[in-house]
Amino acid sequence: TDAELKTNWAGVAKNNLMYGGYHIFVPDDDGAAQAKNYLDSLRSVTPSYAGRLRPVLDVESIPEDKLQEAFPHMKIWLQRVEEALGCKPMIYTSPNNWNREFPDDFTNYPLWLADYNDPPTLPKGWSKWTFWQHTNSGHISGIAVPVDLDIYDGDKMRIVRDTCPIQ
């Protein structure tokens, strides 16, 4: 869990930014336990996830010998989080990671694409991206270090539809 979670969530809310939580998937850990940790962390900073950006499962490179073991845990995390929050999670990955490692049965989830090529390359199985992280070396006034920069594939009305519903 991010040690600065409470501070960060308060800061983005204070500055009227859209935000949500993401989870870095750990292939050696139980998917249900990872989902519980994620949901408990969210509950520690907000009574309701409604109106937030979709929850994100960050899937980076998984060692080849852990792939078959990882798939069921990813599915459990995605199912548990969707059931608990009432909205479908998004998967964050890159084409290099995904094309080498994963089956297509996860591609019914929205994609947050990490690809520094222009135009970006979609991982196999996806026909579009929702967010595109196009650089990890962007500059923003007030932040001293390089940051990730992302593009949203839609307008203000669509991004509202891409948030978790108010229940």
Side-chain angles (χ1 to χ4, degrees), residues 6-52:
K6 288 182 182 181
T7 301
N8 291 338
W9 275 56
V12 293
K14 179 179 141 190
N15 287 288
N16 202 28
L17 298 171
M18 294 188 83
Y19 59 100
Y22 74 93
H23 174 76
I24 298 173
F25 180 73
V26 180
D28 293 339
D29 290 351
D30 177 68
Q34 290 185 67
K36 181 181 182 323
N37 179 65
Y38 176 81
L39 294 166
D40 288 348
S41 296
L42 291 178
R43 290 181 187 116
S44 78
V45 293
T46 185
S48 170
Y49 199 79
R52 307 282 186 256

Side-chain angles (χ1 to χ4, degrees), residues 112-133:
W112 187 331
L113 175 62
D115 186 41
Y116 304 146
N117 296 304
D118 190 5
T121 302
L122 287 167
K124 70 178 181 180
W126 270 291
S127 60
K128 63 181 181 159
W129 49 265
T130 301
F131 286 96
W132 170 32
Q133 180 182 319

Side-chain angles (χ1 to χ4, degrees), residues 43-103:
R43 290 181 187 116
S44 78
V45 293
T46 185
S48 170
Y49 199 79
R52 307 282 186 256
L53 292 175
R54 292 176 185 273
V56 177
L57 183 62
D58 182 335
V59 181
E60 303 289 338
S61 185
I62 296 175
E64 191 72 35
D65 63 335
K66 301 287 183 187
L67 287 175
Q68 294 307 313
E69 178 183 331
F71 297 149
H73 293 295
M74 288 171 56
K75 286 181 181 180
I76 289 169
W77 189 96
L78 291 161
Q79 290 167 349
R80 297 270 173 103
V81 169
E82 183 171 357
E83 289 168 6
L85 300 181
C87 62
K88 189 176 215 108
M90 184 177 309
I91 294 177
Y92 170 91
T93 196
S94 71
N96 289 341
N97 286 332
W98 197 265
N99 291 345
R100 177 175 70 234
E101 299 172 353
F102 299 94

Side-chain angles (χ1 to χ4, degrees), residues 139-140 142-146:
H139 298 282
I140 301 225
I143 300 176
V145 296

